[in-house]
Amino acid sequence: MKADPRGVKTGAHYLDGDHACAEGALAAGCRFFAGYPITPSTEVAERIASRFPLVGGVFIQMEDELASIAAVLGGSWGGKKSMTVTSGPGFSLMMENIGLGVMTETPCVVVNVQRGGPSTGLPTLPGQQDMMQARWGSHGDYEIIAIVPNSPQECFDLTIQAFNLSEKYRVPVLVMMDECVGHMTEKVVIPPAEEIEVFNRKLYDGPKDQYLPYEVDNTNGRVPLMAHAGDGYRFHVTGLTHDEKGYPVMNAEVQQECVSRLIDKINKNTDDIIQYEEEQITNADVVVVTYGISSRVSMRAIRLAREQGLNVGLFRLITAWPFPEKRIKQIAKKVKAFVMVELNLGQMVYELERCIAGKAKVKLAPHAGGWVHNPTDILKIIKEAAK
Amino acid sequence: MTEATHPMENILRMDRMPHIWCPGCGIGTAVTAFAMALEKAEIPLDNIAVVSGIGCTGRVAGYMKLDSFHTTHGRAIPFATGLKLANPELTVIVFSGDGDLIAIGGNHFIHAARRNVDINVFCLNNFNYAMTGGQSGPTTPEPAITTTSPYGAFEHPFSLPFLAEGSGAVYVSRWTALHIRRLTNSMTEALQKRGFSFVEIIAPCPTLYSRRNRLGDGLEELKYYHDQIVIDHEADTRELGIGFRDQIVVGNFVDRERPTFMDALNTRFTEVFGKKYEPYGKVAHENGN
Ligand code: SF4
């Protein structure tokens, strides 16, 4: 499908990441937005509020983030592509209903413009400290998709992809921006609508009495066909463990089936979901793994290291979750060491270590947040890793 | 011979019976009134969505043969808000309990009423948290015994019609599980009213609330309603607090007009953008929502 031209502001713009993200949502076909103001994400909501009236969308400012995410789930079942935007404290409040979204297989997008934490932390300054929360923040076993843009252009492009993945796999997709990327202004090129690929959820259109809301065959990536409220199927949706009918069933067998399918539909489609960027990996002794704003600071450190004769490659996570395990394992066979650069005191580095499983050294370039790394600090760690 | 059928099998999920509710529980009666009201209101069943939160009453959505959503504790109202705004053609009912809607979900309740979102909130009040074993809640009268008020409740309870009116609801009523006909009529009126409509249903929880307070079975509770009820449609909602075993004032208290969220949004944007703005959803409905 091509994008609805009403939402697409074709042209070259000078935008910050937050505004670019809003434009990405509009281009992707987002027509319901519920949110609550929180620094440094508010500009996304503001732009949506100003743009929606003339593109047929409904914006509502809710009373809190608990309400925002609940309304987004409702909006999605009402038939609209739906999104909310927040930052750390609001993200914490949304966790329970992100789980409801996972369990009920509700397509939606949640953007987190990350700031320094814990708690109120650093409202106006950057962090990348919610990366593990993105993966594990809601209770129970599940898989989720989280993507990490590193520029305003990617805030636009990846927000569209977030919607597409969410529609395709019927799962909340998290866009894990950071304050720097959200507030940095760069050129953003928005292509004509007919060049923007959008994916719309697959809807059931069979006989009314035969609809099983959670039935899957193997043709659709283990993703069931959706129906919207008002379509006439009169279906049931619950956060309880449920069978194909969507009816609650409280036993270990149905639990096993229900939860493992939620996990499989992501884990068995990683080749379709995962994206990353590589640079000079082939002959590298050391590979820097990084994402978001940290990847841009790391590039400077990598250049300095190369000038000093070191063979350093870059592996940039575009998809943080599911983690690109397969590719990291291949690289681990050939290199001496990995350096993880992230704006926290160690989060994605644990997943990296798990995948590498001792096959190569792993070093962390930590930072508590509030600013970005100094490239020379990263350089020092690269040099140690190269020894 | 034709097989006997349930009179409500077009509206209840018969394949989910028997339901989980206890003998003498008031929820079943409230559901019967709800089903009858849906028929009386003559809304096509395919256009109705019912949303529940968590709790004994939170299970109502699961038994209705409608588009039905069993959501998280406290969040039925914002979920329903999203559903209604995304598809304004739907008639959306939130059917849940007092703890779910007024304690953990209280903030959403007042804001949805303030915005006058065009949804119907049917709140079953049995004075305690039943699903979790009978704890005290924001409606427990002083000094009722519950598992978390073992020496008698001492917090001042909410009066729900007062809260609803004060927050901006356009339709407010209270009935009990004894008043099936009046409750059905009131639910029908609520369903046909545009805007945020609120119906409180006082109902027995014999298993927990009545037993702990030695109030007898479900029938005893209905006898209490019978003896202590005062019907007064003109009652001032400020006077509607419920004391322990005290009189309960019931009636259709509020019926007023105010622009809904969607009306206000369309009016504003039409003023600002003129012809460029295409009004969202249906602006005015001939009969009801
Ligand atoms: S515990 Fe109380 S409210 Fe729950 S089903 Fe039993 S009687 Fe009804």
Side-chain angles (χ1 to χ4, degrees):
Chain A
M1 280 282 289
K2 303 298 173 203
D4 165 10
R6 275 187 311 171
V8 183
K9 230 182 166 65
T10 303
H13 307 266
Y14 193 53
L15 291 179
D16 75 10
D18 281 1
H19 286 200
C21 167
E23 288 301 329
L26 281 150
C30 175
R31 294 295 180 268
F32 180 71
F33 182 102
Y36 187 80
I38 184 168
T39 306
S41 75
T42 314
E43 294 89 332
V44 185
E46 289 169 345
R47 185 152 183 128
I48 299 254
S50 88
R51 292 265 281 124
F52 256 17
L54 296 184
V55 302
V58 174
F59 169 94
I60 183 168
Q61 184 171 316
M62 298 300 287
E63 51 276 15
D64 57 29
E65 289 90 346
L66 303 164
S68 303
I69 180 72
V72 160
L73 298 180
S76 185
W77 284 101
K80 294 276 191 292
K81 289 189 185 177
S82 304
M83 175 168 99
T84 187
V85 174
T86 190
S87 186
F91 198 53
S92 292
L93 287 176
M94 288 182 185
M95 282 300 145
E96 185 192 12
N97 268 347
I98 288 176
L100 181 66
V102 169
M103 189 60 148
T104 54
E105 302 184 64
T106 308
C108 64
V109 172
V110 177
V111 179
N112 177 356
V113 188
Q114 296 173 87
R115 61 196 229 185
S119 189
T120 314
L122 302 167
T124 59
L125 297 171
Q128 294 177 319
Q129 298 166 10
D130 310 340
M131 299 305 294
M132 278 292 173
Q133 187 183 21
R135 173 66 187 86
W136 302 106
S138 198
H139 55 280
D141 277 329
Y142 64 97
E143 286 283 340
I144 201 139
I145 300 174
I147 49 189
V148 209
N150 82 343
S151 66
Q153 181 68 52
E154 275 199 356
C155 290
F156 175 80
D157 296 336
L158 294 183
T159 301
I160 298 175
Q161 281 192 27
F163 273 99
N164 289 350
L165 288 167
S166 153
E167 293 286 312
K168 189 167 181 184
Y169 292 105
R170 286 188 60 182
V171 68
V173 173
L174 313 175
V175 182
M176 302 297 288
M177 292 163 53
D178 56 66
E179 187 276 335
C180 281
V181 167
H183 285 165
M184 88 176 22
T185 302
E186 286 182 342
K187 184 176 169 185
V188 174
V189 177
I190 300 183
E194 63 272 17
E195 286 170 26
I196 298 174
E197 222 24 80
V198 300
F199 191 98
N200 296 334
R201 60 192 72 173
K202 289 197 179 149
L203 296 172
Y204 177 81
D205 60 1
K208 285 196 178 180
D209 50 343
Q210 283 168 34
Y211 180 49
L212 294 172
Y214 291 98
E215 182 189 39
V216 285
D217 53 24
N218 287 325
T219 58
N220 198 31
R222 309 213 9 96
V223 182
L225 299 176
M226 199 164 166
H228 295 145
D231 283 355
Y233 294 105
R234 292 162 70 180
F235 56 87
H236 185 56
V237 167
T238 177
L240 287 166
T241 296
H242 46 267
D243 60 12
E244 290 181 331
K245 280 186 178 171
Y247 289 179
V249 180
M250 301 295 102
N251 69 43
E253 291 75 45
V254 176
Q255 166 75 358
Q256 172 73 30
E257 209 166 296
C258 177
V259 179
S260 46
R261 190 178 57 72
L262 296 179
I263 287 175
D264 283 356
K265 73 174 180 182
I266 306 297
N267 279 353
K268 298 212 159 122
N269 291 304
T270 49
D271 288 345
D272 181 50
I273 296 168
I274 292 176
Q275 278 184 283
Y276 45 79
E277 182 194 338
E278 291 184 359
E279 196 194 285
Q280 295 187 32
I281 296 277
T282 325
N283 299 314
D285 294 316
V286 176
V287 169
V288 173
V289 182
T290 182
Y291 54 91
I293 189 60
S294 301
S295 66
R296 300 185 62 162
V297 185
S298 297
M299 276 315 295
R300 170 83 186 137
I302 290 170
R303 269 196 292 276
L304 291 172
R306 286 176 188 155
E307 276 166 27
Q308 298 182 16
L310 297 176
N311 289 324
V312 184
L314 167 79
F315 186 94
R316 176 166 74 91
L317 301 170
I318 296 173
T319 313
W321 305 110
F323 194 74
E325 178 165 357
K326 223 183 348 180
R327 182 61 188 141
I328 290 288
K329 281 185 166 150
Q330 287 169 351
I331 300 172
K333 287 185 198 146
K334 293 191 262 171
V335 302
K336 241 203 272 186
F338 289 86
V339 172
M340 172 61 88
V341 184
E342 52 184 344
L343 270 187
N344 56 53
L345 300 179
Q347 293 202 8
M348 296 307 289
V349 70
Y350 291 119
E351 184 66 5
L352 184 67
E353 281 175 343
R354 185 187 71 76
C355 295
I356 292 165
K359 301 273 185 329
K361 256 194 297 188
V362 178
K363 284 203 169 286
L364 170 69
H367 194 301
W371 198 233
V372 291
H373 290 77
N374 186 328
T376 55
D377 293 340
I378 303 173
L379 177 65
K380 233 184 272 167
I381 296 168
I382 293 174
K383 280 170 142 176
E384 275 170 39
K387 274 187 201 149
Chain B
M1 226 173 78
T2 49
E3 229 176 286
T5 53
H6 191 280
M8 281 170 187
E9 67 171 15
N10 66 330
I11 213 163
L12 297 179
R13 295 189 192 277
M14 299 312 290
D15 55 345
R16 288 211 61 211
M17 297 299 154
H19 56 67
I20 63 160
W21 298 308
C22 307
C25 176
I27 300 174
T29 316
V31 168
T32 303
F34 178 36
M36 292 192 299
L38 288 172
E39 286 198 340
K40 279 186 82 170
E42 292 183 342
I43 305 160
L45 296 181
D46 284 357
N47 287 352
I48 301 168
V50 54
V51 184
S52 291
I54 297 294
C56 287
T57 315
R59 293 303 184 94
V60 166
Y63 296 115
M64 306 306 297
K65 203 198 277 179
L66 301 165
D67 290 325
S68 53
F69 299 90
H70 181 217
T71 64
T72 44
H73 199 22
R75 314 303 160 215
I77 288 177
F79 187 100
T81 300
L83 204 53
K84 177 69 187 179
L85 298 189
N87 182 357
E89 302 288 311
L90 292 171
T91 294
V92 179
I93 302 104
V94 170
F95 203 126
S96 221
D98 50 308
D100 186 66
L101 291 170
I102 306 300
I104 187 168
N107 196 32
H108 311 312
F109 179 82
I110 59 174
H111 285 281
R114 172 182 65 78
R115 293 185 186 108
N116 201 21
V117 182
D118 186 11
I119 59 174
N120 307 278
V121 175
F122 296 167
C123 175
L124 187 128
N125 179 3
N126 54 19
F127 305 120
N128 77 142
Y129 283 90
M131 181 64 93
T132 44
Q135 292 77 33
S136 67
T139 54
T140 309
E142 304 160 71
I145 305 288
T146 71
T147 54
T148 49
S149 60
Y151 309 110
F154 51 80
E155 290 182 23
H156 185 67
F158 266 134
S159 157
L160 303 189
F162 179 39
L163 183 66
E165 182 179 18
S167 305
V170 290
Y171 182 90
V172 180
S173 73
R174 172 197 278 163
W175 295 99
T176 78
L178 180 71
H179 300 88
I180 302 195
R181 191 173 49 82
R182 292 175 195 267
L183 174 61
T184 303
N185 290 341
S186 175
M187 284 177 162
T188 310
E189 282 178 23
L191 288 165
Q192 289 172 335
K193 179 91 187 167
R194 301 186 71 240
F196 186 93
S197 306
F198 176 70
V199 178
E200 178 183 15
I201 309 129
I202 308 281
C205 167
T207 305
L208 299 165
Y209 182 77
S210 296
R211 186 167 54 88
R212 291 231 163 71
N213 289 290
R214 303 184 187 285
L215 304 174
D217 58 12
L219 192 61
E220 281 301 315
E221 190 71 358
L222 294 185
K223 276 190 199 138
Y224 153 60
Y225 298 161
H226 182 263
D227 296 343
Q228 289 290 344
I229 289 298
V230 176
I231 299 178
D232 181 4
H233 301 301
E234 305 305 318
D236 184 333
T237 58
R238 283 173 297 188
E239 314 291 324
L240 296 182
I242 302 175
F244 188 65
R245 308 321 274 171
D246 211 353
Q247 77 168 28
I248 300 177
V249 180
V250 296
N252 301 324
F253 308 120
V254 176
D255 190 347
R256 58 184 170 180
E257 302 301 323
R258 218 154 65 74
T260 66
F261 176 88
M262 202 54 88
D263 293 342
L265 173 145
N266 280 326
T267 307
R268 184 92 281 251
F269 293 160
T270 305
E271 269 169 32
V272 174
F273 297 111
K275 287 214 174 67
K276 271 196 289 178
Y277 179 68
E278 197 181 303
Y280 183 83
K282 257 195 189 165
V283 189
H285 296 238
E286 293 294 298
N287 32 30
N289 52 3

